[in-house]
Structures are given as C-alpha cells and as structure tokens.
Amino acid sequence: MRNIKTIMVAVLGISLLLGFSACKPKNAGNAVSADAAAKAYVAPGKYDEFYNFVSGGFSGQMSVYGLPSGRLLRVIPVFSVDPEKGWGYSEETKPMLNTSQGFVPWDDLHHTELSQTNGEIDGRWIFGNANNTPRVARIDLTTFRTQEIIELPNSAGNHSSPFITENTEYVVAGTRFSLPPDDKNGDVPINTYKQNFKGTLSFISVGKEDGKMDIAFQIQCPGVNFDLSHSGKGKSHGWFFFSCYNSEQANTLLEVNASQKDKDFIMAVNWKKAEESLKAGKGRKQAVKYAHNTYSDKTHSATSEIKTEVTVLDAKDLKDICYMIPCPKSPHGCDVDPTGEYIVGSGKLAALIPVFSFDKLQKAIADKAYDGEYDGIPVIKYEAALYGEVKKPGLGPLHTEFDGKGNAYTTFFVSSEVVKWNIKDLKVLDRAPTYYSVGHLCIPGGDSKKPNAKYLIAYNKITKDRYLPTGPELSQSAQLYDISGDKMQLILDFPTIGEPHYAQAVAADVIKTKSLKFFKIDDNANPYASKGEATAKVVREGNKVHVYMTAIRSHFAPDNIEGIKMGDEVYFHVTNLEQDWDVPHGFAVKGAANGELLIMPGETQTLKWIPTKVGIWPMYCTDFCSALHQEMQGYVRVSPAGSNVPLTFSTGKNLPAATTTADTVKKK
C-alpha cells in the first residue's frame, strides 16, 4: 500500500510539473535570436539541404518536410486511405490496405526508419509501422510511394518498430501488447496474463537489391510491453536492444501497477545467435494468418497474399540469445551511439539517464554476472553492464540522438527541454527549452554511424501559444535548432501533419538525384493500359463495363460514353499519356462513392463506379494540368436496365443527335 501511495504522489507531482511546464516561459518572446530567420531561410527556387521524414501518427501517413525551411513537400499515403492521391480508393491500390482481418482503411504510423548500408543512410527506402493493426511498410524513395506492407502475426500495438540493422538485413518489430500466441486459444481470462500472455519480436528480412520483405523468424519472449528499440552498430553489430516495461505483468491500471518495481529492463538480443539457432532447426513452425501486400511500378497495381506460417524461436529455451539489463522503471527510448559501444536507456520516471557499455555487457555474459532470471531469461547485474549515469539531467527523459562528436541530445517531456551531454564524462553541456512537452527528436543520421550534426528537430506534444488558435485542437509542433556550435539555437517553428512521433532526416543529395521523373509509357504493363488514344475503347463483359481511357492535356478519350445501364459496374481504367515531369491528371465522375484518381505520367489507375440513377453524369480532371484544365471533362449517359441503347463511345464528335431519348428507349 505504501508503494502505491508513493507512486500516486510521484504521478501527481509529474502532472503538476507538466501543467507548469506547459505555461508560457517568461523568455519565450526572445527565445529566438536575431539571425535565426537567416539560418532557416531558403530562397524561392532554391532547394532545402535535407529531407525530413516525419511520422503522421494517427493520420496513418508519412509527411516529408524540407529543412531548414520547414516546408511541407509531400504527404505519402501508407496505412490510411488518402482521397488526394486515390490511395486505397483506386482498384490498383486497395489491396495495399488488405489484412488478415480484411480491408483496414486506417492506422497509426508512429515511427520512420531510413535504410542503411554499412551503418550509413543510403536513401533507397524508408520504413514505417502500423501501430494498431500490426504491419510494417516499405516506401521506395525513387517514387515516394508505399511499395510493400507486411502484417505481423502474434503482435498487437506494433510500437517498437520499424528499426533496422546496419546493413538493412532486418527490419525488427516488437509487440507493445503481449498476448496469447495466435495459435493458442485466446479465450482465456485476462487475469491469467502471467500464465498465457507472451511478447513477440519479429525479424523481417529485406532483399538486398529489391527490398522485398519476408518474416524470417520471430522470437517468443516474456509477457512484457516492448516500447522502443535500436540495433547495435560497429562492434555491437549482430545485437538489438529493446526497452520494455510492465515487468510486473499487470493487466489493469498500468500507471500504478506497472510502476511497482524500481527497474524494468532493456532486453539485449543476439540476432546472430538467433540465426544460428534457426539454421540448427531449433525453431518451430507456427500456423498463423497474415497479409503480405506488394505494389508494382510495372503494372501500377498491387497484389495481396495471405500467408499461413512463421518460424518461432523460444527465448526461454535458448538461453544465449536474450538477456535482460535492469533499467530505471518505465523506460521509453533505447538508443545506441555511433560507435556501437554505448546503449542509452530512458526511464520516464527517473531523474537520471543510465548509459550501458556493450563491452561490459559482453564481459558480464562471459562471466555469468547474473542476478537470477526473468521468466527464463538471464538478468544481467545492473552494475555489471552500466557505464555510468547522467545525474540530474532533467525531468522525464524520453529519447536520445547523437552528433558523432561524442555528444548526446536527450528530450525531457516533463521539463520541456532538450539537453546536450557528453557521452564519455556524462556531463551536461547545454540545455534548450522546447514549446512544449517534447517527445521525439531527430538529428540527420542521428541514429546511424555517421550523423550530420547541423540541425536538431524537436517534435512537441503540446503547442499552446505557438500558432494562431484553431479551436480546442491546435496544430502539432516541430522546432528546428542549429546545433553546429557549442550551444543549441532555436531558429524555426513549423506545424506538422497528425501527431509526429519519430522522424528521420538525410542530406537531400542522397535522394534527390535518384527521384523518378515519370513512368515510361512503353513499360506500362497494366493489363488495362491504353498506350495511345487509338487504343481507347469501352468493352462490356456482362454487367461489368471496362472503359479503357487516356488522359492528356487537355482531354480524355473517350469523353462521351453511352449505353451504360442501371445495375452495371463501370471500371474507368485511366492511363496518363504524359511523358513530362510533374504532369499528373486526376479523374472523378459525379456520384462516385469513392475517391478520385490521381494518375502519374505513364501510369494507369482504375476507378470503380456504380451509377445510382438514370441520367447524364459528368466526369472531369481533378488535378490542375494546363490552362485548359477546366475544359478537360466529359459525359456518361446512364439508361434504365433493359434499355436498348447501344454501348458507344467517342471523342471529338460534337454533332447533336437526330433522335430523342424516348426514341432510343425500349417501350415497356
């Protein structure tokens, strides 16, 4: 009872501190120095120095900003339907949102992770996680389009992902919620958590050339909550580190019941040893069900496959792949410095930052310097793995990134600040206020072997007075700091899409020269493509009508269609014939219970339309394409079911019909 009271007092104290810290600081008006505008200014026609890829949180999308300007460059649809781009609305993209539970039109994208080679960002792909229906997506950075999504069985609340190894051998994902495994009877009392609930880590292999993902293996772990993770690098390559909380294995009121112990854990996973166990046949095949969706830039369409098996390794049986390192309770961030030697844990309720040594961890394992086991997993003695502690750095440490110069930068949610400290001597060097309650932060390359320590971006949970008021909900806030000198300098605020969680940034030169300009029309392998107006046509197959349509500045072909009847399903297969950079066309038809299409140059996309009544239905281009964009339109005539109106189509015939509608409809 005494512990509970103590915890409640602590929680109340933190809440009061949070409320206080969210008030406007006295120095907020002069927090930005006079040269800040010049440092953040990017002249019209000039490019930004960096791409910043930011998770969209509850929007389910990923946003791309230029730095240092803070300009929003693009929103990439990933796990949620997006009417602006037709994502999840076109027949070609609907399969990308398929899951083992059917079509899921929304999710919660928390974290982003750029692919790496030799521990350096290579600019090929970026990965994102779906937190709700557990999935990992791969976005191709030549097209800035989601190319692949794989669902994760045995998982829920896929928060601890998608984090990669230093050569992108694996994308790794830990479950937030422990659950009964998918092949077990899940109809068990919730209060049997300790007996029946397990945590799962998923290791997703990534094709070296094509990026194709596959679940290589999963590791079944104790029933804790996995929060965040990062891979080892350099000397610690072959290892992965996860923060985990709820070592009490509570199933209710975790704010109290999961904070009983002074320490939770960082779990260290030797994935090289796991590979050896896999090759030795120590994994078991488990029957599961999950979706694997891929998008082709040749066919401009997606396919979805339901898979039914994964290989699972049990950490309890294999004593040499997982180790628990005690960490101050409720750890959130788990970060590894560029050398791979130092692992930083962030206990949200701690007033210090523990820094663990990889070398000391290896010695502790060799010496079996254990403090018992946790559910069959060896527990390393805290002091045996500890390099040292940063004392009194701030309140509510969350996340740490590195500048490659021997310094670390940690966010403090409660005290609303970023604190710079030296990794070797663990001394605080500088602190800068944020506005307000900062969560994640990003330094370009800050979790790689080679950071680019020019800027730091703080992603804040509360904005209060930073922007014009917009009712009870305010825009989410990002703040840009210049960290090129000894002291951090705030130089820009900019609002963000959704609720940003993690973000990554990379020098623009790594990506911009590889960016695709358009799809070659001759390479279009979509079975419904029309590669010229001469191939445009309308074909009836029973009650399905396929319109093979082309779009070019500034008309559709065909743009007059008759003979559609009530009860028909109409598929508009629209091919954009343009072969010029950045000339997309849009397509919409009145009454469509669907989003528009957005068709890139050389691409084919399909809109399914079921007319709801007899009459004339306009269609038009929805994306501005030329001075005559407004003239880019057409008409579809819908007749009653059973009418004898022939199926006809045309472009450019502008003569009035000699007969009336009544003459062409079968008399009843």
Side-chain angles (χ1 to χ4, degrees), residues 390-401:
V390 183
K391 304 291 187 181
K392 299 181 180 180
L395 293 174
L398 290 186
H399 302 282
T400 301
E401 294 229 335

Side-chain angles (χ1 to χ4, degrees), residues 544-560:
K544 292 181 171 60
V545 178
H546 294 274
V547 180
Y548 295 73
M549 178 179 283
T550 63
I552 197 166
R553 288 167 286 184
S554 297
H555 64 273
F556 295 111
D559 63 5
N560 280 216

Side-chain angles (χ1 to χ4, degrees), residues 147-166:
Q147 209 77 27
E148 191 174 10
I149 295 177
I150 193 164
E151 189 179 2
L152 301 177
N154 297 315
S155 298
N158 181 35
H159 188 261
S160 186
S161 66
F163 297 97
I164 62 165
T165 53
E166 68 174 30

Side-chain angles (χ1 to χ4, degrees), residues 562-575:
E562 303 190 36
I564 305 297
K565 302 172 185 178
M566 290 296 295
D568 284 346
E569 294 179 2
V570 184
Y571 295 84
F572 293 96
H573 309 290
V574 186
T575 301

Side-chain angles (χ1 to χ4, degrees), residues 96 152 371 447 452 594:
M96 292 299 287
L152 301 177
D371 193 8
D447 75 336
N452 188 327
N594 215 338

Side-chain angles (χ1 to χ4, degrees), residues 5-174:
K5 287 181 178 178
T6 302
I7 292 161
M8 290 304 291
V9 169
V11 170
L12 178 60
I14 288 173
S15 299
L16 290 172
L17 282 167
L18 173 58
F20 178 78
S21 67
C23 295
K24 185 175 182 178
K26 292 180 180 179
N27 66 342
N30 59 8
V32 179
S33 58
D35 64 341
K39 288 186 175 183
Y41 181 68
V42 178
K46 298 295 183 182
Y47 289 155
D48 278 285
E49 297 173 67
F50 295 90
Y51 288 98
N52 185 205
F53 296 90
V54 183
S55 68
F58 44 68
S59 77
Q61 319 297 30
M62 190 182 297
S63 51
V64 187
Y65 297 85
L67 296 178
S69 73
R71 297 184 292 208
L72 177 62
L73 304 178
R74 185 167 180 79
V75 175
I76 303 171
V78 186
F79 296 115
S80 298
V81 294
D82 182 4
E84 180 189 14
K85 301 172 185 69
W87 183 255
Y89 291 105
S90 71
E91 296 303 297
E92 284 82 1
T93 60
K94 284 179 181 177
M96 292 299 287
L97 299 181
N98 189 42
T99 73
S100 62
Q101 302 174 58
F103 182 81
V104 176
W106 169 85
D107 218 302
D108 185 8
L109 197 161
H110 268 227
H111 303 122
T112 64
E113 187 84 351
L114 285 156
S115 59
Q116 296 182 12
T117 301
N118 297 323
E120 297 182 26
I121 296 171
D122 57 29
R124 293 182 296 166
W125 310 301
I126 188 166
F127 301 88
N129 70 319
N131 200 28
N132 186 272
T133 302
R135 288 166 286 173
V136 166
R138 177 175 59 86
I139 293 96
D140 188 326
L141 291 180
T142 62
T143 60
F144 282 63
R145 174 177 283 166
T146 303
Q147 209 77 27
E148 191 174 10
I149 295 177
I150 193 164
E151 189 179 2
L152 301 177
N154 297 315
S155 298
N158 181 35
H159 188 261
S160 186
S161 66
F163 297 97
I164 62 165
T165 53
E166 68 174 30
N167 288 298
T168 321
E169 297 98 337
Y170 295 106
V171 175
V172 183

Side-chain angles (χ1 to χ4, degrees), residues 380-421:
I380 306 290
K381 289 182 179 178
Y382 180 68
E383 293 78 9
L386 185 70
Y387 171 74
E389 297 173 337
V390 183
K391 304 291 187 181
K392 299 181 180 180
L395 293 174
L398 290 186
H399 302 282
T400 301
E401 294 229 335
F402 307 92
D403 63 7
K405 302 173 183 178
N407 302 312
Y409 299 73
T410 300
T411 56
F412 290 83
F413 178 81
V414 177
S415 52
S416 291
E417 59 184 332
V418 176
V419 174
K420 176 182 178 180
W421 51 277

